[in-house]
Amino acid sequence: MNSKISSFIHDMIDDDLNQGKNNRRVHTRFPPEPNGYLHIGHAKSICLNFGLAQEYKGLCNLRFDDTNPSKEDVEYVDSIQADVKWLGYSWDDRLFYASNYFDKLYEFAVNLIKAGKAYVDDLSAEEIREYRGTLTKPGKESPFRNRSIEENLDLFQRMKTGEFPDGSRVLRAIIDMASPNINMRDPVLYRIQRAKHHRTGDNWCIYPMYDYAHPLSDAIEGITHSICTCEFEDHRPLYDWVIKNVGVEFTSQPRQIEFARLNLSHTVMSKRKLKKLVEEGHVRGWDDPRMPTISGLKRRGYTPEAIRDFCERIGVAKAVSTVDIALLEHCIREDLNFRAPRVMAVLRPLKLVIDNYPEDQVEWLDAEYNQENPELGSRKIPFSRVVYIEQEDFMEDPPKKFFRLTPGREVRLKHAYIIKCEQVVKDEQTGEILEVHCTYDPETKSGMSTETRKVKGTLHWVAESHALPAEVRLYEHLFIKENPEEDKEGDFTQNINPNSLEVLTSSFVEPNLTTAVAGDRFQFLRQGYFSLDPDTATDRLVFNRIVSLKDSWAKMQKK
């Protein structure tokens, strides 16, 4: 992360270093819960935590806060590790799990009980909520709050051995039921939950709550700065209380620092809502290219460089705001404009016959891959009597300023010749245009030093003789509204864009793409940026449109 952008976090870290805290170390962590796939908001946190560690020559851990086995799965663990690596970061040998510390966390809870700072409560979850009070009304103490230390130790041990049913008892901290901060009103530390854990199996039937396990995991690992989003600001007093009161002197005193989470227009940024999209079949899976998940962005064709650039541009702040998705799209255009080979593809083909071109001739023409990046080199493309052009590049009765192909008009075929439309062939019953017939001028070959004629229109094309069949998937925003959660009586799925995916099954691409592999990215001339999808088969290439060529963000910045 750029220090000028994230100055308030740097100021706080610099202040700690100047005071000699934690032996002037900087040790951060990225602590996801393995209950879903990571999204672009997590990418911001990954870049921030690993970036700060790199900048201060410190360390950053990857730790899974796996304290809720009913919602966790090894599939998510694997995907998270893959995403962090793909973004370009390494945790080296510092891969940890909160479940690594279950024995210690239990011991710490026993310490709290022995110190008279925790008790076993028999109230139901609903009763605990009622007793907790409201923002304007203080809570009241549980009738079980004054149990003896001996009774609490006995009950907690019996909770651990599975003597009681799920939900029948919890362990709560003894803090202050009148606190203005609801999080400090005797928060729950442990609950009974019989669920198979992805790492510890059935060894445990009680599990620590996030607000208890998270700060202690930080302290155990020697974390110096706990960077988190602003919704945890009210949890900070509890974070500090837990570390201070479990009766252990830790080598580090982690400092929690909050920043505003990323909100992105035309999408949702909640794992729970993203999971709903997957489970209800609104998308094909967590890696659907319309999803804001890192795996979805990767499949769509986004690069890790573009995502890191985006995260740096938006920076970090305290104030909550929504970032226009156009900025994310701008970042990938900026990246691919230089690195992506530019090739020809016809998405909605119209047959074009060059009547005066030799019927059996195939001519191989020179074409550079990217004028912006000569290092990408060039290739040969075949030209023949029959080619495909875009349907939208021909009109019989065009409006003004239509500079593409019309009857009697000349245009240039990119990298090839100037052609002139002579005839249109239509379906006699429907009037549909089936093909156009043209003539070409052999003296107008692209690149000829003697060629001086100029025409206003240049069209991309693919030769029928060597065209590769392709399926092209055109993506738009998943939601029709900037804020999908407004209106529709709270059901954000009602704002799903019915036109977020259009599949074209009759497209063609130039033959040089036959060696492409899944993940390769290209600019289709005049169409946008595309990547080869893993669904590609031997008889048909499948491409995802990453983004169109139209850059609305750049246009907005010029106003």
Side-chain angles (χ1 to χ4, degrees), residues 12-75:
M12 298 175 80
I13 294 177
D14 290 341
D15 181 59
D16 286 346
L17 295 178
N18 291 335
Q19 294 184 43
K21 291 184 178 179
N22 299 309
N23 294 318
R24 292 186 170 85
R25 293 183 304 109
V26 173
H27 195 156
T28 61
R29 80 289 174 270
F30 175 61
E33 298 174 71
N35 57 6
Y37 281 62
L38 300 183
H39 54 62
I40 186 70
H42 296 108
K44 176 180 177 179
S45 180
I46 292 168
C47 293
L48 179 58
N49 279 287
F50 281 93
L52 286 169
Q54 290 176 356
E55 184 174 348
Y56 284 97
K57 295 180 173 55
L59 301 173
C60 183
N61 296 357
L62 173 61
R63 182 183 72 245
F64 291 96
D65 279 339
D66 54 344
T67 59
N68 189 0
S70 64
K71 296 184 178 181
E72 296 164 357
D73 195 282
V74 68
E75 173 190 353

Side-chain angles (χ1 to χ4, degrees), residues 347 469-472 503-507 540:
L347 306 191
E471 176 182 307
V472 177
V503 179
L504 306 178
T505 58
S506 302
S507 303
R540 182 177 299 274

Side-chain angles (χ1 to χ4, degrees), residues 501-548:
L501 170 61
E502 180 183 5
V503 179
L504 306 178
T505 58
S506 302
S507 303
F508 294 103
V509 298
E510 66 173 70
N512 292 289
L513 274 65
T514 190
T515 58
V517 297
D520 283 354
R521 305 168 185 90
F522 305 90
Q523 183 192 114
F524 289 176
L525 290 179
R526 301 173 58 228
Q527 298 288 357
Y529 293 100
F530 292 76
S531 70
L532 191 65
D533 189 86
D535 284 346
T536 286
T538 54
D539 61 337
R540 182 177 299 274
L541 301 175
V542 178
F543 290 93
N544 297 315
R545 183 170 67 186
I546 307 169
V547 67
S548 65

Side-chain angles (χ1 to χ4, degrees), residues 395-404 406 409:
M395 291 187 71
E396 277 193 288
D397 185 19
K400 291 182 179 180
K401 297 185 178 181
F402 182 83
F403 299 122
R404 287 166 276 179
T406 65
R409 177 180 292 174

